[in-house]
Amino acid sequence: MTDNKSALYAAFKAKDARFDGRFFVGISSTGIYCRPVCRAKQPKSENCTFYTTAAEAEQAGYRPCLLCRPELAPGTSITDATATLARRAARLLEENCGSGQSLDELAGRLGCTARHLRRVFADEYHVSPVQYLQTCRLLLAKNLLTDTDLPVLEVAMAAGFNSLRRFNDLFKKQYNLSPTALRKRTTEGKKHNGNITLALGYRPPYHWEEMLNFLAGRAITGIEAVKNGEYMRTVHLENTEGKHVYGWVRVGHRPKKNVLAVTVSETLLPVLPQVLARIRHLFDLSCDPNAVYETLRVMNDIRPGLCVLGTRVPGCFNAFEMVVRAVLGQQITVKAASTLAARIVDTYGTPMQTGIEGLTHIFPLPKDIVALDGAIENHFGVLGVTAARSNTIYELARALVQGEINFDLCAQPEEEMKKLMAIRGIGSWTAQYIAMRAMEWPDAFLETDAGVKKALQPYTAKELLKMAEAWRPWRSYATVNLWNTL
């Protein structure tokens, strides 16, 4: 992509948001690198060098621009590149930059060797995984230094640096500025309210209200709430030592800046990279809406308005929670499924104090379900869950505990869907829905879904499936577009 300098310079000059996060511009006259949307004075073409990633720009000796803030650039979708292994590795590095996991451990999660991962990563990004990880940590630290009043030591720890001295030395070496000096320059005159609020960028347009409506309709009482144009939920994750970490997160929209404002409880600092990665997944922030629309706009030939530019696929924050919700929702209304999920949470969830009205519990873990004494239908039956669905939920929990199924950036979603459908009670609709929301699979299609069939009356399911061939590889986005028309 970075070979066509004239085209990239034209995009940079136009401040084209479609290219935000897809490349970065190193400016030799200033020694800084910028996002394509930077509003600083336009440099001359001969002073610009274009890079695929922020890590590549930093390895070339450039420092991040304090005006456009490269750490706010949206990421790239797993499906954007043919080198999907490298893309998945990059996402894992971003999510685990604070975990201290070795490259061998990350490669194992992706089903390859560290040597193979280094090779494909360098081919795709022109830097090593270690160099990419270093930039992830530095940019997260820069974000925290700029937008919060956390002590520098806590910033260093949250970003994955185990040594304050190493953090200070590396930050100064890479950015020619100490962490404390950056804070003085970027926070002068700002008032902090004690909350930890960071910004996550996206490529516009973004239909926030449609996303909130979808999540609100499926919110589980005690776990999630949508109020005053914001999404809130409880959080339970494990840190690098396996310690359980509890807290809450609140997400709002700042359309003028093309970012989501993510406020997290201070208790979540040890797992902050994981939290941010899950928010990106939940709100589909890595999507390139123009690339999706380029394929799906043919839907409007069927009926005007079927496909809308900027539509996102709602992901999930907690895969098991979403999967249980999907099983409960089979052949009943969305509201009824939410009621059953709330009963499970109230009975088997973990109570917690958040200080936020409506956020009172943590969803039970798969191991909590497996550990219940006696037949599972005896536990869930009194809550109104049928024996068949109770057993399906139990088998899903067991498969997750034993590592038989993987929802975490799985390399082959179609293989995981086959494993899902081998579980009694999970058919094509449920497997496709789970893949779409939990596995970031962009090409799921629910031809038997009542909403899809209603949106495209009078076509049959067989006709819909044939029609949707023209919508690959974005059939998940086509599905959400059809739901939004109802």
Side-chain angles (χ1 to χ4, degrees):
M1 177 180 180
T2 51
D3 291 338
N4 192 341
K5 183 174 179 177
S6 60
L8 295 179
Y9 185 77
F12 181 34
K13 189 174 182 179
K15 312 303 177 192
D16 195 332
R18 293 176 299 173
F19 292 94
D20 193 12
R22 292 197 160 277
F23 68 86
F24 296 85
V25 188
I27 303 165
S28 59
S29 56
T30 61
I32 65 171
Y33 71 97
C34 298
R35 296 159 63 187
V37 294
C38 187
R39 295 291 174 180
K41 182 179 178 181
Q42 186 71 22
K44 296 179 180 179
S45 175
E46 56 266 29
N47 292 335
C48 296
T49 305
F50 299 93
Y51 299 97
T52 305
T53 65
E56 189 182 2
E58 293 198 1
Q59 288 302 313
Y62 290 98
R63 305 183 306 278
C65 175
L66 298 182
L67 180 63
C68 68
R69 300 181 59 189
E71 71 269 20
L72 301 185
T76 51
S77 169
I78 288 172
T79 59
D80 283 347
T82 55
T84 55
L85 176 60
R87 294 289 183 186
R88 292 179 189 279
R91 296 281 284 275
L92 274 178
L93 289 169
E94 292 165 10
E95 181 174 348
N96 294 280
C97 69
S99 71
Q101 281 191 322
S102 68
L103 186 60
D104 285 321
E105 290 173 309
L106 291 173
R109 291 178 63 182
L110 292 166
C112 66
T113 65
R115 181 180 179 184
H116 179 64
L117 181 57
R118 277 192 292 267
R119 182 169 61 250
V120 298
F121 202 92
D123 288 344
E124 179 70 13
Y125 291 120
H126 313 120
V127 293
S128 70
V130 172
Q131 290 169 331
Y132 189 91
L133 179 62
Q134 174 182 287
T135 298
C136 288
R137 287 173 172 165
L138 286 171
L139 289 179
L140 176 58
K142 181 178 178 296
N143 202 349
L144 288 167
L145 289 167
T146 303
D147 286 346
T148 78
D149 55 359
L150 287 171
V152 174
L153 176 61
E154 290 189 27
V155 168
M157 297 299 110
F161 294 95
N162 295 324
S163 163
L164 179 60
R165 180 177 178 180
R166 169 159 172 72
F167 169 58
N168 282 322
D169 290 346
L170 187 60
F171 199 94
K172 192 169 184 178
K173 176 184 175 183
Q174 288 294 115
Y175 298 161
N176 200 28
L177 197 66
S178 71
T180 51
L182 173 68
R183 169 157 282 169
K184 288 178 182 178
R185 287 182 59 172
T186 57
T187 62
E188 187 174 352
K190 293 183 180 179
K191 292 182 179 180
H192 293 284
N193 58 12
N195 290 329
I196 302 169
T197 301
L198 299 174
L200 296 180
Y202 61 78
R203 298 177 185 87
Y206 192 106
H207 298 293
W208 177 248
E209 291 301 322
E210 283 83 350
M211 176 65 79
L212 275 193
N213 289 339
F214 184 95
L215 296 176
R218 291 156 182 81
I220 301 174
T221 302
I223 303 289
E224 305 168 282
V226 175
K227 297 177 182 177
N228 302 320
E230 294 183 318
Y231 171 83
M232 298 170 282
R233 66 164 295 122
T234 57
V235 175
H236 169 218
L237 295 168
E238 291 185 11
N239 67 6
T240 53
E241 289 85 35
K243 180 181 177 182
H244 294 274
V245 180
Y246 300 88
W248 55 266
V249 63
R250 184 173 71 243
V251 184
H253 188 210
R254 294 177 181 171
K256 291 183 179 179
K257 294 185 177 181
N258 296 332
V259 300
L260 300 188
V262 182
T263 302
V264 302
S265 61
E266 200 163 344
T267 56
L268 294 177
L269 268 180
V271 291
L272 184 60
Q274 290 185 58
V275 172
L276 297 180
R278 290 177 184 231
I279 291 297
R280 289 188 184 98
H281 170 34
L282 174 60
F283 290 97
D284 197 13
L285 298 186
S286 297
C287 171
D288 182 344
N290 288 282
V292 174
Y293 187 72
E294 190 66 28
T295 298
L296 296 188
R297 61 182 179 181
V298 296
M299 294 175 67
N300 294 329
D301 294 337
I302 301 170
R303 189 168 70 247
L306 278 186
C307 179
V308 178
L309 175 64
T311 298
R312 287 341 198 249
V313 172
C316 70
F317 191 93
N318 179 319
F320 181 61
E321 171 190 305
M322 194 285 300
V323 167
V324 170
R325 178 76 180 57
V327 171
L328 293 173
Q330 293 171 342
Q331 298 178 333
I332 62 174
T333 65
V334 170
K335 184 177 181 180
S338 296
T339 299
L340 293 176
R343 291 174 184 169
I344 291 175
V345 167
D346 190 53
T347 307
Y348 298 104
T350 303
M352 68 174 291
Q353 297 291 329
T354 64
I356 299 176
E357 184 181 359
L359 302 187
T360 59
H361 286 75
I362 293 295
F363 199 83
L365 298 172
K367 64 181 182 181
D368 298 333
I369 302 300
V370 173
L372 293 174
D373 292 329
I376 187 67
E377 57 264 36
N378 293 337
H379 293 277
F380 285 0
V382 295
L383 304 178
V385 183
T386 65
R389 292 196 183 98
S390 297
N391 282 296
T392 299
I393 292 170
Y394 178 85
E395 286 302 316
L396 276 167
R398 185 198 57 77
L400 285 169
V401 169
Q402 296 184 3
E404 297 172 3
I405 292 177
N406 175 28
F407 298 136
D408 184 19
L409 288 177
C410 50
Q412 297 178 307
E414 288 166 308
E415 291 301 312
E416 299 303 315
M417 281 189 272
K418 290 179 183 177
K419 296 177 187 177
L420 283 169
M421 286 190 287
I423 295 174
R424 187 178 181 87
I426 294 186
S428 176
W429 182 94
T430 308
Q432 293 277 343
Y433 183 78
I434 291 171
M436 177 173 72
R437 295 198 58 199
M439 302 183 210
E440 298 187 61
W441 180 232
D443 203 31
F445 188 64
L446 286 64
E447 73 276 6
T448 61
D449 179 80
V452 170
K453 291 164 72 175
K454 184 177 181 181
L456 288 174
Q457 288 177 333
Y459 294 102
T460 66
K462 187 176 181 180
E463 290 171 331
L464 292 175
L465 197 58
K466 183 178 180 180
M467 182 189 303
E469 283 297 308
W471 305 338
R472 289 182 181 271
W474 309 114
R475 293 185 302 171
S476 294
Y477 291 87
T479 301
V480 176
N481 268 290
L482 293 173
W483 285 340
N484 287 346
T485 65
L486 299 177

